[in-house]
Amino acid sequence: MKLAATANLDQWWWGTMHGEATRTAFRTCPLCEAVCGLELTVAGDRIVAARGDREHVLSAGFVCPKGATFGQLVHDPDRLRRPLVRGADGRHREVGWDEAFAAAAAGLAQVQARHGADAVAVYLGNPNVHTMAGPLYGGPLVKALASRNVYSASTVDQMPKHVSCGYLYGNPDAIPVPDIDRTDLLVLIGANPLESNGSLCTAPDFPGRLAAVQARGGRVVVVDPRRTRTAAVADEHVFVRPGGDALLLFALVHTLFDEDLVALGRLEGHVRDVERVAGLAKDFPPEAVAAACGVPAGDIRRLARDLAAAPSAAVYGRIGTCAVEFGTLTSWLVDVVNVLTGNLDRPGGVMFPLAPHARKATEPGGKGFRVGRWTSRVRGLPEVKGELPVATLADEITTPGDGQVRALVTVAGNPVLSTPNSGQLDAALGGLEFMVSVDPYLNETTRHADVILPPTDPARVGHYDFAFLTLVVRNTAAYSPPVLPKDPGGMDEADILARLAGIDHERLLLQLLQRAVDDPGSPVHGRDVAELRALVGGDGPAERLLDVRLRLSSYGEGFGADESGLTLRKLLDHPHGVDLGPLQPRVPEVLRTPSGQVELCPAPIAEDVDRLRVALDRPSDGLVLVGRRHLRSNNSWMHNVPGLMKGRDRCTLQVHPHDAAALRLADGGRATVASRVGTLTVAVEITDTVMPGVVSLPHGWGHGAPGTRAAVAAATPGVNSNILTDDHAIDPLSGNSVLNGIPVTVSPAT
Ligand SMILES: Nc1nc2c(c(=O)[nH]1)N[C@H]1C(S)=C(S)[C@@H](COP(=O)(O)OP(=O)(O)OC[C@H]3O[C@@H](n4cnc5c(=O)[nH]c(N)nc54)[C@H](O)[C@@H]3O)O[C@H]1N2
Ligand SMILES: Nc1nc2c(c(=O)[nH]1)N[C@H]1C(S)=C(S)[C@@H](COP(=O)(O)OP(=O)(O)OC[C@H]3O[C@@H](n4cnc5c(=O)[nH]c(N)nc54)[C@H](O)[C@@H]3O)O[C@H]1N2
Ligand code: SF4
Ligand SMILES: [Mo]
């Protein structure tokens, strides 16, 4: 077999060069939402090669440059392996774990005792969804801190989608994904999976899957203010003015009603308030939105007809539909179009995955979704899903008064580079009384921490994707055991978070079992907790929680109820994953709305349409800034991997040739970019892949700050685009930051 041959060659090569025996290990890649299977070559305590696992049930050998350099990331000499505390001189020094935890506990307790629980804020960053510890221990940590000041990367990312799904389906986590392997027409709006490898849509090998759509006679359409790599392989690319998608989508909805193309299909009888949506769409005919969104009316009508006529179609939106001015409206309209064309919950449309650890309900209906149970102190912004918008974290730290934030805990986050008006946040963190970071790097954010608790590297812990197996295009289960032996002086993230929160692993496990025993819908209802506990498998605390979740799921073994069902043991026996089949229709069972139906026209969303009407007549002549992702970056934190930093400078300001001429900018020259909140200087790249009037700068750069420890990143620091993004530009329904469509002025740097 070819696979074995290449692996053996690699092992042979390493063995010959180093006189060392090697072995092969398999592990899910934790670096993006595609969750590819990796085949790792291990020599002693080192990963010496990584490639795609060709037998993996979901990724079938696909790998990207980040997965391929997994070993370099794991063995990065700048990675922290022991805790650090900051001395009076401001410098960090290594200490033992007991000393670090004692300092963390004392610092937090002191602030809470003096100023109350809300004086300690917590920020949870993106990699929390890429570990087992994050989903299992993040919640308990937040609960233990008992503060209303909870922030996360969700409000610079997908919160609008949670809010729109919360209202539509009654559950903010019921997010339908495009059934990409069966669709006839895929419309990608504000998504660039050829660089990002997909998001809120777990589909390893996006390039191959898109090519397969086309190979079976289907079409791919991309809507983006940039002609991205994804747009380049699509059948059609539509340039849209940043922030204009809500108008474009409303015009699609208008056309569907106007031309009598609405057909709910199998959703008939499960959707309410369709007529109210028709009423709202009246104000948005294609001819009225064309100027503001930059898409000709004829193109909009044609796209609406294509969506209605396709045997199946899926509209999918990502960052360009969320981190924008009308984020929730846009995210809602994506699903409205899918519903009105009969494509929600049908094969080839958009569908609800069923994760291996999830349990289906028997009946539709529930309490529904609401926001604003409390509001932020300074700006009065509503709570959403238990958290506040990270765009107001700096306000809460710097504004004196009762309830002022004086201490911060960050877990897997770098908000100094990733959140808007980050110059302000950087300064605010410097003024905190106390800060703890759970993070393996001394970076732009953690340099402000008094205590840094670094989790052991990902090769030494087990892995299961609680988040992404909920968003997968084909139901799949996979668990990876640790690849390398434990570092005797290191600490697993589950242990760090548990100790920080004062949680006992065993108690958490017994609580989970107790809840199951008490639940009339559970397969173990009425059984004895101690008896079940004796049956739980798994080498670590996270693994034991996983085993319980798997066994109690809809696929589960049910603690003896179904011998063939899922257990952790079964996943251990299947290192390439277990295929659970194509996505299945789930309406109405998946609906948690009070009506038990899809509530297509939620009042809070309908009210926000007034704001959109105003945008119809707004002049759109100034320059606006949008972001951009690159295949070899991962937000802010992988620029220290040498293998990913080869090639030319990626942190450039892309400018259209017409704009460059008007602004007297030269390719390779430098430009000064200014927004309401900040100014920076950056290299110019002139390209017609951005539309006129739009400039683009990637985020996650701006390294090399004093006190950080990342030598490779510091050598190619780039600039921080979030110096320019505006903390006061917020989608009001979700609290999500507007990171695209930022008004800027650009001039040649002197
Ligand atoms: N290589 C790599 N992969 C990643 C990441 C990374 O940093 N690097 N980050 C991961 C994370 S955290 C996430 S959330 C995902 C994001 O996944 P994606 O959303 O697929 O990634 P982006 O490249 O940000 O794509 C957003 C696109 O929206 C476009 N856009 C900007 N404004 C607008 C607008 O107003 N309307 C429209 N229609 N389009 C607009 C941008 O030009 C861009 O092409 O990627 C993940 N994967
Ligand atoms: N302008 C602009 N800004 C953006 C975006 C954009 O498109 N444009 N995208 C936004 C999006 S989608 C996101 S998700 C955010 C990301 O925002 P953040 O999550 O705040 O930032 P990251 O750069 O992902 O930083 C991850 C941190 O986690 C640490 N880390 C890595 N692995 C682990 C681990 O296993 N455990 C722990 N404890 N720590 C770990 C890293 O060292 C780093 O400090 O950025 C947002 N910011
Ligand atoms: S696509 Fe994502 S999951 Fe797959 S190898 Fe690359 S970084 Fe890892
Ligand atoms: Mo993200």
Side-chain angles (χ1 to χ4, degrees):
M1 217 175 105
K2 209 173 162 211
L3 157 77
T6 44
N8 286 345
L9 189 68
D10 205 79
Q11 295 184 1
W12 167 84
W13 173 84
W14 184 269
T16 320
M17 297 292 289
H18 299 82
E20 204 176 346
T22 63
R23 63 188 167 92
T24 301
F26 298 96
R27 191 202 197 277
T28 306
C29 177
L31 300 175
C32 92
E33 300 184 35
V35 305
C36 300
L38 297 179
E39 182 192 321
L40 305 169
T41 304
V42 182
D45 197 16
R46 288 189 80 76
I47 295 169
V48 297
R51 66 175 61 71
D53 171 7
R54 289 193 216 183
E55 288 177 63
H56 195 272
V57 293
L58 194 62
S59 62
F62 182 79
V63 70
C64 84
K66 293 200 294 290
T69 50
F70 182 65
Q72 290 183 22
L73 179 78
V74 163
H75 303 297
D76 183 350
D78 285 331
R79 174 181 278 273
L80 306 178
R81 297 183 186 274
R82 303 291 179 266
L84 302 180
V85 299
R86 202 161 57 129
D89 59 354
R91 296 171 72 91
H92 285 95
R93 67 182 167 85
E94 217 169 277
V95 297
W97 287 98
D98 288 341
E99 184 182 340
F101 277 105
L108 294 175
Q110 211 171 65
V111 169
Q112 288 198 320
R114 239 187 293 144
H115 306 291
D118 290 339
V120 177
V122 56
Y123 173 81
L124 305 173
N126 170 274
N128 276 296
V129 285
H130 293 276
T131 62
M132 290 182 78
L136 293 173
Y137 290 86
L141 172 66
V142 167
K143 208 169 149 200
L145 290 172
S147 167
R148 288 188 166 187
N149 279 300
V150 178
Y151 303 85
S152 87
S154 290
T155 52
V156 280
D157 187 346
Q158 82 289 358
M159 199 56 104
K161 196 74 204 174
H162 287 307
V163 171
S164 75
C165 290
Y167 289 130
L168 281 165
Y169 315 122
N171 174 2
D173 298 321
I175 296 177
V177 303
D179 186 12
I180 179 172
D181 295 343
R182 290 183 288 185
T183 196
D184 297 288
L185 173 59
L186 180 63
V187 179
L188 301 123
I189 308 184
N192 186 11
L194 261 63
E195 304 275 3
S196 70
N197 278 303
S199 177
L200 299 186
C201 174
T202 286
D205 192 12
F206 236 103
R209 288 177 201 265
L210 292 184
V213 174
Q214 295 168 322
R216 59 176 185 265
R219 290 179 68 237
V220 177
V221 178
V222 168
V223 180
D224 200 300
R226 300 186 303 118
R227 191 171 62 250
T228 59
R229 280 181 61 210
T230 309
V233 302
D235 300 278
E236 186 179 346
H237 171 219
V238 179
F239 275 120
V240 66
R241 179 93 186 145
D245 304 85
L247 293 172
L248 167 66
L249 285 157
F250 240 138
L252 289 176
V253 172
H254 178 100
T255 309
L256 293 173
F257 284 111
D258 191 40
E259 301 189 5
D260 211 11
L261 299 172
V262 172
L264 301 186
R266 68 169 296 277
L267 247 63
E268 201 75 62
H270 296 297
V271 186
R272 50 184 275 180
D273 304 330
V274 175
E275 287 317 310
R276 288 177 54 202
V277 174
L280 291 173
K282 282 209 167 68
D283 292 345
F284 302 95
E287 295 70 22
V289 307
C293 73
V295 185
D299 291 359
I300 300 177
R301 287 195 180 267
R302 186 171 44 80
L303 183 56
R305 290 174 201 141
D306 288 351
L307 283 165
S312 70
V315 183
Y316 159 72
R318 211 37 291 271
I319 285 292
T321 60
C322 284
V324 290
E325 184 179 6
F326 301 102
T328 302
L329 267 178
T330 311
S331 298
W332 166 71
L333 283 161
V334 164
D335 284 24
V336 168
V337 171
N338 286 322
V339 168
L340 296 179
T341 53
N343 281 304
L344 180 85
D345 203 41
R346 86 160 162 207
V350 296
M351 303 188 80
F352 298 98
L354 182 64
H357 58 275
R359 189 156 189 88
K360 274 203 247 185
T362 44
E363 298 269 302
K367 282 208 238 88
F369 174 71
R370 67 196 181 98
V371 305
R373 289 170 296 176
W374 59 89
T375 53
S376 70
R377 179 181 64 104
V378 179
R379 281 162 65 184
L381 298 168
E383 158 276 344
V384 177
K385 283 192 85 195
E387 55 183 278
L388 295 169
V390 69
T392 197
L393 174 56
D395 305 318
E396 296 294 333
I397 296 171
T398 56
T399 310
D402 219 22
Q404 182 181 2
V405 168
R406 320 247 183 182
L408 176 66
V409 179
T410 70
V411 183
N414 192 4
V416 166
L417 291 192
S418 54
T419 68
N421 194 357
S422 47
Q424 174 181 286
L425 183 66
D426 192 20
L429 296 191
L432 285 169
E433 284 177 25
F434 191 70
M435 180 168 158
V436 181
S437 291
V438 180
D439 204 290
Y441 281 100
L442 188 46
N443 63 19
E444 299 74 19
T445 295
T446 61
R447 72 189 175 119
H448 294 291
D450 298 281
V451 180
I452 305 177
L453 304 165
T456 200
D457 67 63
R460 291 168 218 278
V461 288
H463 189 85
Y464 174 87
D465 283 290
F466 283 99
F468 304 115
L469 296 178
T470 307
L471 295 161
V472 66
V473 296
R474 190 175 167 98
N475 290 319
T476 307
Y479 167 80
S480 326
V483 168
L484 298 180
K486 266 200 190 324
D487 167 5
M491 198 160 177
D492 287 6
E493 188 145 15
D495 294 328
I496 293 176
L497 296 183
R499 188 156 166 192
L500 198 57
I503 301 164
D504 176 55
H505 290 307
E506 187 62 19
R507 230 183 81 211
L508 202 62
L509 180 63
L510 293 176
Q511 280 170 355
L512 178 62
L513 289 170
Q514 186 64 52
R515 276 203 303 277
V517 164
D518 293 344
D519 175 4
S522 149
V524 293
H525 179 58
R527 283 174 66 177
D528 179 43
V529 168
E531 175 231 335
L532 298 177
R533 173 64 187 90
L535 299 172
V536 175
D539 287 340
E543 277 73 10
R544 286 189 280 277
L545 292 168
L546 172 62
D547 189 42
V548 174
R549 297 284 296 275
L550 291 171
R551 291 164 93 157
L552 296 177
S553 78
S554 290
Y555 307 95
E557 165 269 8
F559 286 88
D562 172 9
E563 297 280 290
S564 67
L566 282 187
T567 59
L568 178 62
R569 182 71 254 161
K570 184 161 176 182
L571 296 193
L572 279 163
D573 291 340
H574 291 82
H576 313 290
V578 175
D579 179 31
L580 300 170
L583 304 183
Q584 301 292 332
R586 291 193 56 194
V587 170
E589 155 270 318
V590 74
L591 302 173
R592 298 272 77 78
T593 50
S595 64
Q597 294 188 307
V598 176
E599 299 190 352
L600 201 64
C601 194
I605 291 183
E607 281 158 26
D608 199 35
V609 175
D610 284 342
R611 211 166 51 94
L612 188 64
R613 282 194 198 95
V614 177
L616 266 179
D617 310 312
R618 214 165 40 188
S620 54
D621 41 12
L623 273 185
V624 291
L625 174 75
V626 301
R628 141 172 132 247
R629 280 179 162 77
H630 291 126
L631 189 56
R632 287 179 296 135
S633 289
N634 193 11
N635 296 323
S636 75
W637 71 278
M638 286 185 63
H639 294 142
N640 211 48
V641 176
L644 297 175
M645 294 302 286
K646 294 179 188 137
R648 61 191 181 93
D649 183 13
R650 280 174 261 160
C651 189
T652 58
L653 184 77
Q654 293 186 333
V655 187
H656 188 274
H658 293 168
D659 294 321
L663 296 164
R664 287 172 289 107
L665 298 173
D667 192 55
R670 296 187 70 77
T672 299
V673 191
S675 72
R676 186 188 77 84
V677 301
T679 303
L680 54 76
T681 298
V682 62
V684 173
E685 178 187 347
I686 298 178
T687 166
D688 68 359
T689 59
V690 288
M691 68 191 282
V694 176
V695 293
S696 169
L697 191 59
H699 76 283
W701 298 86
H703 305 299
T708 59
R709 192 181 299 170
V712 179
T716 315
V719 293
N720 175 6
S721 68
N722 283 314
I723 296 283
L724 298 169
T725 53
D726 190 334
D727 54 315
H728 278 260
I730 273 193
D731 170 47
L733 293 183
S734 63
N736 207 84
S737 295
V738 178
L739 303 171
N740 295 281
I742 303 296
V744 289
T745 57
V746 180
S747 54
T750 43

